[in-house]
């Protein structure tokens, strides 16, 4: 059992203070990364017992902060719990004892589950518990987010090259950490530190690179948020090896010490450094080693080395180990004070003749110039700061030079500044008199010229009194200061001719006459000595030539080019030369002055090419008259032929100018070309199939372009099989302006095109609401445009993309109409219903038009009776209808749509003409890409056979045969009684006929019954005209709705015969038109007309029926007749109330006539129709 009772800090026992055990552990909270190695120390002090104390380590996990999990113990091998026992046994976790009371806990491979509170406990070895026996600290294991990357590669370098390596270092730690970056070079097993950036952001070079880092040859720069660049200038052979970078992430522990949580290195870069040939040799050469005073001498210092142009050398000249002059790598000479004067007088020159040859020239040797000469060559390196660093120096063997005095006894010596001068240079002669008798003597000096024609002339003389007198031919020149003579020293006289001319060439003689006073005081010539010097004057125009050159006869837009106008020979800068550049533009036949460098150093620009001034520089060399014309940002305006014209001038002694010569250079053609295009457009082909009204996606990918500043014009084309060439759809200019092509206008694409441009060179064209007519091969034509130096856009190149085959198809027709067939039989005036049911459609957005047709037996072709257009407009029938009834059909037709897809045709008040076979034709319409509707599908429904029946005929007449006998001039009645009718709405048309038997003319005994109309009234109550024989004698009366009576007045014998009544029954059809339904004839009425002369007895006796009627049936007949009369009058009154026609139109029936009847009279009552009796 472990006792962990807290003890007081001090316990006073018997006045003595005892030691108190104290366990301390490393301060927390500590942060460490997964996979790293951690050590946690633990100490115990103030303990009793053995010097070697035991330690127990436990952990309290965050998931169970009060539950102890034992890890390892120094005194118990089975102390660890199972979760840690395997790691302890494998050595991943162990305890290192530093001293008996001081240990380190090692966890070599931290895991995320190692986060928690660690406790270090020491078992009690004291006599009693007093103090603390354990201590705790916290550890948090975090994810290792450090990343160090550098691409593995192999680089081959040469000594002196520059090495640049990059390393990406990143971390994503939530805690505040620092990072350090180091670069190393590994060669075999040897690792050398190059340079490091510490966690405190301090650069620390490795010992092997410290000096080079101080000189700037080794740098470590941070070039981004996570990027670091190592730069090594002037690579050396020792730099060969594998370079890699190593980064560490540091965190500050609670004890304020920094701990490297993790460290990682990148892949290596193998650097091979090839040694460069840096050796060089120096040679010193001269033509001879023995000279005479006044002779010229030239020494040449030659460097033998490789890659001289890429190396830097400085050269120094020495005379008897004393410095004469030195030339820096920039060929700037520096002379010692003594030789600087001689250089200023033109007696000495130090120069670089070529890349590897340096010369020392002494134009007139002196006696004191005898001695040893040498040159020293030093190779130098240029640092990144531009300073030169000395490397290796070499010098050849000394060359001894001997200068001998003149071997002459002449006491006069003449020297000149040059034996050959250029016209215009000054001629300077010195006359040195070396032997003088004494100071009492005087000298007279005369300068004479012996020209090339051996003509002698005096130039100037100085008499013994010191008076100067110019010669006759030199007085004008002397007056302007062109000729000067001066006594520089008592024994030295000079002659100087300024602005020499060709005529000044010849032998100059100095005649010295020594004068002394004789005893008389007169001047006496003691002697005469002379010496001469020959001078050649080279004419300025000798070999005068002008050449125009250029290293870049062909340039690209925005490039620069230089034109050199080289004058030969090499004139000094003082020679007045004017150089003019002339220009002939391409396509022009005329040269114009471009710019002139005048003889006095001014610049004059031509007035035709002002644009050149903004991009042209004119420069004249300081040491020569060569003129360089530099043109920048070349364009087409600068393309053409150039020519320079040089004029050679001489300034006379009187300040006037003479043009000595003019030379024109060769023609120099400069071609300004456009840059070579790098335009590449994707050539990939693809096929796209879409359904009508879909979207056509078209893309145009620019894979490569000539410049980042390139603009593109994209022209979209479509090629259809019916067209010979592609047609332009859309053009986008480089300025992003849109221009629709004729095809877009013709096909109505303007509102359906959508263009997009992305920065990555991708151009997208979308065709909305595609139609079948949009099918074809699409491609783009890309034009690359660049801005010329003149700020004008020009087309550099163009390229066509691959084809995109687009197929736009109509949607599959899914229109379905009910095909069920029906038979329908109805009666006239009923309603006919014909259904047209659409069971399926291609699209919910489609529109339908429905047409109803009917086939009739009387018509060979079907007829359209109703058309419902897709926009909901009803059209009735065909353009030409066959009959009036059919033209009136629209009034009776209705259309119902009780549910979607169901169209119902209703025909009101059907009639017989409506009979036939009906069907509907459904057309489905879709909207195409031009917003126009087109017929996509058509289906016909099943037939509906309609039969419309008329009412069944039920007309029946009284067929009873009657016999009527009347006296001449009497009247008789013909009744027509309708027993039944077909419809209460029917009307009757009545016609009475008189039947006559017509005997055949042939005499064969055949006979023919002829019907003679007597009286006729139509169903519309209109009377037909009466025949002539019946005119005025007929009276018609409608006794009742079904009983009609015709009375014949004034009967004659010709009226005797057989009579019948024919009744036609008429009905109104649904249109209100009357048609004849049926007809019937009544029974026959036999009428006998007696002559007025006959006796009653004879009449009665001659007719059996009359006999029986009078004598056997008088009383029953009269009784019945009275009853009938009463009934008729009763019904007549009732019907008179209803005699008005339908809708208030009176029926044209004849009112009941007045009856004169006497019961005692044997004659029948008389029916009379009088005018005015028809209401």
């Amino acid at each position: 059992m472990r006792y962990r009772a807290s003890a007081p800090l001090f316990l006073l026992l018997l006045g003595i203070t005892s030691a108190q055990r104290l366990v301390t552990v490393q301060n927390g909270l500590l942060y460490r990364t997964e996979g790293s190695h951690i050590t946690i120390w633990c100490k115990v002090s103030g303990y009793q017992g053995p010097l070697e104390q035991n330690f127990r380590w436990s952990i309290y996990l965050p998931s169970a902060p009060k539950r102890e999990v034992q890890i390892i113990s120094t005194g118990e091998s089975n102390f660890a719990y199972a979760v840690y026992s395997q790691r302890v046994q494998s050595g991943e976790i162990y305890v290192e004892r530093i001293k008996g009371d001081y240990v380190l806990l090692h966890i070599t491979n931290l895991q995320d589950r190692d986060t928690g509170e660690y406790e270090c406990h020491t078992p009690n070895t004291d006599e009693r518990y007093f103090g603390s026996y354990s201590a705790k600290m916290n550890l948090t294991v975090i994810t290792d987010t450090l990343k160090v990357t550098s691409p593995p590669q192999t680089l081959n370098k040469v000594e002196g090259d520059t090495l640049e390596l990059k390393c990406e270092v990143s971390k994503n730690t939530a805690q505040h950490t620092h990072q350090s970056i180091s670069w190393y070079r590994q060669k075999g097993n040897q690792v050398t530190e190059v340079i490091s950036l510490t966690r405190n952001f301090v650069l620390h070079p490795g010992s092997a690179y410290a000096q080079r880092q101080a000189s700037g040859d080794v740098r470590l720069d941070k070039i981004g948020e996570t990027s670091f660049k190592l730069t090594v200038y002037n690579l050396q052979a020792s730099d060969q090896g594998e370079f890699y970078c190593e980064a560490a992430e540091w965190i500050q522990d609670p004890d304020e010490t920094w701990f490297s949580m993790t460290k990682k290195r990148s892949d290596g870069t193998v650097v091979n450094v090839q040694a460069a040939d840096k050796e060089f040799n120096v040679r010193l050469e001269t033509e001879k080693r023995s000279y005479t005073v006044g002779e010229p001498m030239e020494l040449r210092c030659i460097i033998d080395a490789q890659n001289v142009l890429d190396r830097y050398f400085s050269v120094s000249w020495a005379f008897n180990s004393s410095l004469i002059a030195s030339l820096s790598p920039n060929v700037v000479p520096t002379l010692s004070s003594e030789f600087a004067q001689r250089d200023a007088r033109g007696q000495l020159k130090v120069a670089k003749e070529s890349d590897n040859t340096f010369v020392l020239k002494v134009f007139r040797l002196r006696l004191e110039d005898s001695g040893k000469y040498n040159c020293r060559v030093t190779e130098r390196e240029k640092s990144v700061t531009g300073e030169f660093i000395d490397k290796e120096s070499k010098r050849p063997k000394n060359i001894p030079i001997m200068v001998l005095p003149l071997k002459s006894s002449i006491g006069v010596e003449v020297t000149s500044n040059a034996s050959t001068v250029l016209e215009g240079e000054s001629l300077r002669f010195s006359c040195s008199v070396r032997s003088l008798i004494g100071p009492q003597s005087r000298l007279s000096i005369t300068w004479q010229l012996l020209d090339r024609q051996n003509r002698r002339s005096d130039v100037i003389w100085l008499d013994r009194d010191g008076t100067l007198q110019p010669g006759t031919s030199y007085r004008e020149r002397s007056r302007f200061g062109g000729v000067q003579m001066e006594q520089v020293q008592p024994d030295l006289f000079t002659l100087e001719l300024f602005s020499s001319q060709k005529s000044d060439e010849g032998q100059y003689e100095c005649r010295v006459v020594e004068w002394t006073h004789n005893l008389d005081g007169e001047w006496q010539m003691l002697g005469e000595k002379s010496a001469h010097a020959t001078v050649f004057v080279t004419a300025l125009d000798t070999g005068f030539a002008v050449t125009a050159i250029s290293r870049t006869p062909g340039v690209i837009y925005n490039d620069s080019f230089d034109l050199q106008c080289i004058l030969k020979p090499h004139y000094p800068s003082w020679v007045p030369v004017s150089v003019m550049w002339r220009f002939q533009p391409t396509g022009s036949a005329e040269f114009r002055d471009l710019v002139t460098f005048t003889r006095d150093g001014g610049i004059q620009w031509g007035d035709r090419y002002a644009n050149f001034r903004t991009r042209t520089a004119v420069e004249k060399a300081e040491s020569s008259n060569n003129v360089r014309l530099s043109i920048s940002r070349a364009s087409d305006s600068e393309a053409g032929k150039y020519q320079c014209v040089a004029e050679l001038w001489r300034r006379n002694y009187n300040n006037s100018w003479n043009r000595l010569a003019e030379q024109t250079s060769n023609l120099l053609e400069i071609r300004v070309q456009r840059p070579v295009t790098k335009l590449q457009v994707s050539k990939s082909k693809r096929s796209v199939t879409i359904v009508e009204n879909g979207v056509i996606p078209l893309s145009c990918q620019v894979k490569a372009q000539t410049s980042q500043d390139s603009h593109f014009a994209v022209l979209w084309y479509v090629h259809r099989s019916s067209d010979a060439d592609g047609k332009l759809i859309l053009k986008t200019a480089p300025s992003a302006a849109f221009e629709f092509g004729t095809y877009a206008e013709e096909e109505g694409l303007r509102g359906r095109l959508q263009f997009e441009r992305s920065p990555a060179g991708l151009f997208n064209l979308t065709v909305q609401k595609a139609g079948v007519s949009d099918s074809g091969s699409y491609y783009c034509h890309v034009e690359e445009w660049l801005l010329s130096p003149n700020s004008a856009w020009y087309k550099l190149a163009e390229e066509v993309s691959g084809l995109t085959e687009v197929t736009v198809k109509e949607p599959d027709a899914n229109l379905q109409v009910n095909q069920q067939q029906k038979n329908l039989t109805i009666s006239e005036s009923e309603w006919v219903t014909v259904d047209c049911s659409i069971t399926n459609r291609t699209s919910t957005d489609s529109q339908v038009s429905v047409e109803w047709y009917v086939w009739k037996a009387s018509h060979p072709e079907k007829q359209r009776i109703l058309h419902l257009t897709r926009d909901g407009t009803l059209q009735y029938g065909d353009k030409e209808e066959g009959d009036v009834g059919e033209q009136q059909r629209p009034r009776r037709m209705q259309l119902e749509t009780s549910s979607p897809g169901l169209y119902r045709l209703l025909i009101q008040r059907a009639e017989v003409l409506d009979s036939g076979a009906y069907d509907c034709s459904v057309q489905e319409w879709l909207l195409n890409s031009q917003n126009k509707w087109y017929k996509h599908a058509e289906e016909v429904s099943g037939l509906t056979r309609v039969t419309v029946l008329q009412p069944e005929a039920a007309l029946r007449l009284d067929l009873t045969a009657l016999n009527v006998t009347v006296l001449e001039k009497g009247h008789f009645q013909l009744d027509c009684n309708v027993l039944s009718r077909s419809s209460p709405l029917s009307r009757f048309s009545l016609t009475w006929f008189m039947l006559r038997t017509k005997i055949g003319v042939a005499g064969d005994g055949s006979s023919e019954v002829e019907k003679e109309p007597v009286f006729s009234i139509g169903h519309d109550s209109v009377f037909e005209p009466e025949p002539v024989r019946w005119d005025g004698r007929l009276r018609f009366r409608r006794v009742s709705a079904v009983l009609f009576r015709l009375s014949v007045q004034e009967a004659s014998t010709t009226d005797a015969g057989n009579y019948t009544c024919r009744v036609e029954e008429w009905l109104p059809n649904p249109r209100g038109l009357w048609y004849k339904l049926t007809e019937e004839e009544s029974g026959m009425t036999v009428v006998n007309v007696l002559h007025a002369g006959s006796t009653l007895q004879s009449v009665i006796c001659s007719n059996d029926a009359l006999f029986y009627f009078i004598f056997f049936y008088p009383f029953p007949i009269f009784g019945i007749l009275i009853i009938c009369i009463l009934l008729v009058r009763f019904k007549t009154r009732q019907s008179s109330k209803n005699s008005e026609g339908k809708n208030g139109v009176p029926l044209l029936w004849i009112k009941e006539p007045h009856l004169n009847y006497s019961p005692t009279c044997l004659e029948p009552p008389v029916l009379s129709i009088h005018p005015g009796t028809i209401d």
Side-chain angles (χ1 to χ4, degrees), residues 156-361:
N156 296 316
K157 298 287 185 179
V158 180
E159 278 186 308
D161 287 352
T162 299
L163 174 66
E164 289 186 352
L165 299 175
K166 293 182 182 179
C167 182
E168 295 286 337
V169 180
S170 63
K171 61 183 180 68
N172 190 23
T173 307
Q175 289 71 28
H176 174 69
T177 60
H178 288 187
Q179 63 185 23
S180 62
I181 295 91
S182 301
W183 282 93
Y184 295 94
R185 174 178 56 81
Q186 183 175 358
K187 185 182 296 183
N189 295 327
Q190 182 182 358
V191 177
T192 303
E193 181 184 3
V194 181
I195 192 170
S196 300
L197 179 64
T198 66
R199 66 173 182 271
N200 297 325
F201 309 106
V202 176
L203 281 176
H204 181 269
S207 58
Y209 289 88
Q211 183 177 359
R212 295 171 69 183
Q213 190 267 342
S215 66
D217 279 353
V218 177
R219 294 178 58 90
L220 178 58
D221 299 296
K222 185 176 183 181
I223 59 175
E225 186 68 25
T226 61
S227 298
F228 298 85
K229 182 176 73 172
L230 169 67
T231 306
V232 180
Y233 298 98
N234 299 317
L235 278 175
Q236 302 175 7
S238 59
D239 293 327
Q240 183 164 303
E242 182 181 9
F243 285 79
Y244 65 88
C245 74
E246 183 177 85
E249 187 173 9
W250 298 77
I251 193 167
Q252 192 173 31
D253 288 343
D255 59 359
E256 298 186 353
T257 61
W258 287 90
F259 178 79
S260 176
M261 292 193 300
T262 180
K263 184 181 294 183
K264 294 181 180 179
R265 61 161 282 182
S266 69
D267 294 327
T269 297
V270 178
V271 178
N272 298 318
V273 182
Q274 181 182 357
D277 185 6
K278 296 295 184 178
E279 293 296 325
F280 68 93
N281 295 315
V282 182
R283 293 182 287 117
L284 185 59
E285 296 179 354
T286 184
E287 293 182 358
K288 58 183 181 177
R289 300 192 180 193
S290 179
Y291 296 89
T292 304
V293 171
E295 286 186 321
M297 178 190 69
E298 180 175 296
L299 296 173
R300 301 165 67 86
C301 188
I302 303 172
I303 302 172
D304 295 327
Q306 295 181 359
N307 300 325
V308 176
L309 287 174
D310 300 328
R311 301 165 71 176
Y312 301 96
F313 295 97
S314 63
V315 179
S316 60
W317 291 94
F319 170 65
N320 291 336
S321 301
S322 296
L323 181 66
I324 298 175
S326 62
L327 278 82
S328 67
N330 296 327
V331 199
V332 178
T334 303
L335 288 83
S336 62
S337 59
E338 177 185 356
F339 291 96
Q341 296 176 5
R342 296 179 69 178
D343 176 73
R345 292 194 295 267
Q347 299 174 358
L348 182 142
K349 182 178 181 181
V350 178
K352 181 179 181 181
E353 189 177 72
S354 63
D355 292 330
N356 63 337
T357 304
F358 298 83
V359 295
L360 169 63
K361 293 182 179 181

Side-chain angles (χ1 to χ4, degrees), residues 615-839:
R615 59 179 74 179
T616 304
V618 183
E619 180 182 1
K620 184 177 182 181
E622 294 182 358
S623 59
S624 67
N625 286 292
N626 296 342
V627 176
R628 182 175 67 184
L629 184 66
S630 299
I631 299 178
S632 61
R633 294 186 290 115
S635 67
D636 293 328
S637 301
E638 288 74 46
K641 295 179 180 179
Y642 292 81
Q643 188 180 56
C644 66
V645 178
E647 295 177 341
L648 195 61
W649 295 81
R650 185 186 69 196
R651 188 171 186 175
N652 299 320
Y653 57 85
N654 56 1
N655 291 327
S656 63
W657 292 91
N658 283 347
R659 186 173 68 179
L660 301 179
E662 177 180 334
Q663 290 291 336
T664 302
S665 74
N666 55 298
L667 292 178
L668 188 62
E669 184 174 6
I670 299 296
R671 299 181 301 276
V672 181
Q673 301 171 343
R674 294 178 177 180
V676 178
T677 182
K678 299 179 182 178
L679 177 65
Q680 290 184 9
V681 179
S682 176
K683 298 289 187 179
S684 60
K685 297 182 179 180
R686 63 191 186 107
S687 298
V688 178
T689 302
I690 61 172
V691 180
E692 192 174 30
N693 284 321
V695 174
I696 302 176
L698 303 173
S699 62
C700 188
Q701 176 69 52
V702 178
K703 301 174 66 176
Q705 60 190 62
T706 306
S707 170
Q708 294 295 328
D709 299 325
S710 295
H711 283 53
F712 299 99
V714 182
L715 292 82
W716 297 89
Y717 288 90
V718 61
H719 182 270
R720 296 187 295 189
S721 58
S722 59
D723 300 328
D725 299 317
K727 292 187 176 181
L728 179 63
I729 303 174
L730 178 69
K731 176 181 180 182
T732 58
S735 60
F738 289 88
E739 181 180 345
F740 291 96
T742 56
Y743 180 80
E745 300 289 350
E746 295 171 357
E747 298 297 328
L749 294 178
R750 294 193 60 161
R752 298 192 287 127
L753 296 179
Q754 180 179 351
F755 177 74
E756 295 179 356
R757 180 200 306 259
S758 67
L762 180 63
F763 303 88
N764 294 321
L765 179 65
T766 303
V767 182
Q768 307 285 348
K769 298 178 66 178
V772 176
S773 60
D774 295 329
S775 299
S777 299
Y778 290 79
Y779 61 93
C780 68
H781 185 99
V782 179
E783 298 176 351
E784 186 177 24
W785 290 75
L786 287 175
L787 194 64
S788 72
N790 297 327
S791 299
W793 288 98
Y794 67 93
K795 182 171 70 174
L796 175 63
E798 55 187 342
E799 192 166 346
V800 178
S801 70
L803 294 177
T804 299
E805 299 289 344
V806 176
T807 302
V808 182
K809 65 177 185 177
E810 294 182 354
D812 295 335
N814 292 324
L815 178 65
Q816 295 180 1
V817 181
N818 191 355
Q819 301 293 328
Q820 183 179 0
Q821 298 194 9
K822 297 181 181 179
N823 292 319
L824 183 63
T825 302
I826 61 171
S827 298
E828 201 172 36
S829 293
E830 292 185 0
W831 288 47
V832 178
T833 301
V834 180
D835 289 340
C836 186
S837 177
I838 301 174
T839 59

